[in-house]
Amino acid sequence: MSVETRVITESEYPDWLRALKTGFLQPPVVSEEEAISRRAHTDLARVRGAFDDGRCVATYRSFAQQLTAVGGAALPANAVSNVTVSPTHRRRGLLSRLITADLAEAKERGDIVSTLIAAEYPIYGRYGYGPAAWITEWAVDVPRTGLDRRLSGPDHGGRIDLVDATDVRKLGPELHARLAARQPGVVSRDERWWQLNTGQAQLPSQPWTEPFYAVHRSASGEVEGLLAYQSDDKWGDAKQPLNTATVREMLALTPAAERALWHYVCSVDWITTVKSGYRAPDDLLPLLLPDPRAARILTQADFLWVRILDVVRALEARTYATSATLILDVQDTAGLAGGTFRLDASPEGVACVPSTESPDLTLGVRELGALYLGDESAVRLAALGLVDEGTPGAAGVADGVFRTPRRPWCPDIF
């Protein structure tokens, strides 16, 4: 029998979950409790699967999301997740069929972009996604930092308070919304996110460990930062503490709050290593330490991938720090967002319209996605043969238009 790809039915959901776990190398067992819990927060109209003789052999899901563009606009996005193909059915084009149908629906729905976190780098470029935001994780050797371990609190009039999960659910959403209004790459969080990430809701297959929570308040009492971390319990043979604090969440609205929270976690008694979690590659952390070499890079990799679905709306939604006009020939083999466009960008405003003029730059929709949040360089892409200059120097002009002083950052895996 041929393999069928389609939206799943209610009764197929437990089998879809089993296939999902198979693809992610987790024990392929789904309890009734877990199926009920997950189903209550899943829109089945956006859950797809591939079925061979009635058995689910590939999984795919999308959901509504907002992505912060450069300048703070919240774009309607089609977030893609839970993508797997069972090892028995690889290399049969199942993902191509699933993602093609989903992106067509997203385009019809009016989403401006599609987003995902790629487990494997080579897969998603061929569907028009480009790596738009990267991450770095550091391990801080606390004794080497040069920080004063007698630190008792911020020195700028603010304070740090320990809070509990109930407080985080009250304070966190507003803090995150304020961050999202200024940080390109941030994606929206719904109430379910806060429930799952504070232990109020738990999945049977994912044991919960309660972290420590701390907030930074300004001198006026306003919450400007949130830190969540957990610690192991490891001691050396000579009764010396060798404990590692792993940061699960660190949001800060001001450099003062960021400095205070990093210094706080590095001053906790018995902590000798701090793992930062996934941060922007230009995060302040190393340079907040008297000895930046105390922060050793553990991970540096692509993270958030962006696929442009509507070039005009995407380019008009973000802001630009310099003025320039570019004719862009955007090539899209899927036929969703291709065409030639005239971009007139300036700090005062932007206009993007279809054009019949000769292009200054020819690039794939994947490369436009990589440039979109300001992280990638058109000059670098041109050197790699991924962008073609119809007008000499146009890649440099594009860098002046698209690139941002600070790098984009997505705090969330989805």
Side-chain angles (χ1 to χ4, degrees), residues 378-413:
V379 170
R380 187 165 79 157
L381 294 178
L384 293 168
L386 300 174
V387 167
D388 180 62
E389 286 187 310
T391 301
V397 174
D399 276 356
V401 170
F402 280 95
R403 300 203 79 178
T404 53
R406 293 292 302 272
R407 298 182 71 170
W409 175 52
C410 178
D412 297 334
I413 297 176

Side-chain angles (χ1 to χ4, degrees), residues 120 129 149 275 319 376:
E120 298 180 54
Y129 290 84
R149 294 297 296 262
K275 290 185 177 180
T319 58
E376 187 53 88

Side-chain angles (χ1 to χ4, degrees), residues 123-186:
I123 295 175
Y124 294 98
R126 64 180 183 267
Y127 303 113
Y129 290 84
W134 292 58
I135 52 89
T136 302
E137 180 182 21
W138 287 272
V140 178
D141 183 350
V142 173
R144 187 180 173 183
T145 60
L147 293 171
D148 186 348
R149 294 297 296 262
R150 298 169 296 175
L151 177 73
S152 59
D155 58 6
H156 56 272
R159 59 179 291 166
I160 289 177
D161 295 319
L162 290 171
V163 297
D164 60 24
T166 301
D167 298 316
V168 172
R169 287 191 291 273
K170 292 177 182 177
L171 302 171
E174 181 184 356
L175 182 73
H176 181 267
R178 293 170 65 193
L179 178 71
R182 65 178 73 177
Q183 175 62 59
V186 169

